[in-house]
Amino acid sequence: MKRILFLCADNRVLSPMAQALARLYAQAGTLTYSAGLSAANAFEPRLMAMLAELDLAPRCSAPQSLAKHADLSFDCCVWLGPQPPPASGLNLDVQWTTPDPSDLSDAAYRHFRDRLAERVRHLVQMFEADLD
């Protein structure tokens, strides 16, 4: 099994959205995870509705911190956020500077989700091609 981790500051919107989208494209032998450096109290309010439009949902019922996955190793780690990740010794393979869509209109939020889906699809295809 290969593992991809999508990581953001608080696992409130960016990493759970990317992880849910990755499940659309990942083959059976690829597991996807999401986490934050810390865990927010709840997901961003529109996340569930925006994912539900694609028949998706976050893998977990609440945001999770990276510490929750401390016992796992990952083959690919993707940072998502409006700022570069903090210098915390993280072993990141990919860094995506992405805005927080929380303040966007519904139409702009969908556009953001769909553009992120394309990035995630491309990443998963490249990752899995390397496995062959």
Side-chain angles (χ1 to χ4, degrees):
M1 290 282 166
K2 297 293 183 175
R3 294 183 178 98
I4 301 174
L5 172 67
F6 293 94
L7 182 65
C8 66
D10 59 8
N11 199 225
R12 190 176 67 84
V13 63
L14 295 172
S15 58
M17 182 184 290
Q19 187 268 335
L21 292 165
R23 289 193 336 259
L24 279 175
Y25 308 114
Q27 297 174 8
T30 300
L31 301 176
T32 61
Y33 298 83
S34 74
L37 295 178
S38 61
N41 292 328
F43 290 123
E44 193 276 330
R46 292 182 293 164
L47 175 66
M48 299 301 213
M50 292 295 173
L51 290 176
E53 291 178 358
L54 303 175
D55 293 323
L56 295 172
R59 187 171 181 208
C60 299
S61 59
Q64 296 184 359
S65 73
L66 184 57
K68 177 87 173 176
H69 303 301
D71 60 333
L72 298 174
S73 63
F74 296 96
D75 302 289
C76 181
C77 183
V78 181
W79 171 263
L80 301 97
Q83 303 294 327
S88 62
L90 296 170
N91 185 16
L92 300 172
D93 299 295
V94 179
Q95 296 181 36
W96 288 339
T97 302
T98 56
D100 181 333
S102 301
D103 294 329
L104 299 176
S105 68
D106 285 350
Y109 199 118
R110 283 183 187 93
H111 179 72
F112 172 83
R113 176 202 62 200
D114 296 345
R115 292 203 53 205
L116 182 61
E118 285 303 309
R119 277 184 155 180
V120 168
R121 181 184 60 77
H122 183 70
L123 174 93
V124 169
Q125 286 175 341
M126 286 182 12
F127 176 73
E128 291 179 337
D130 287 345
L131 299 179
D132 295 337

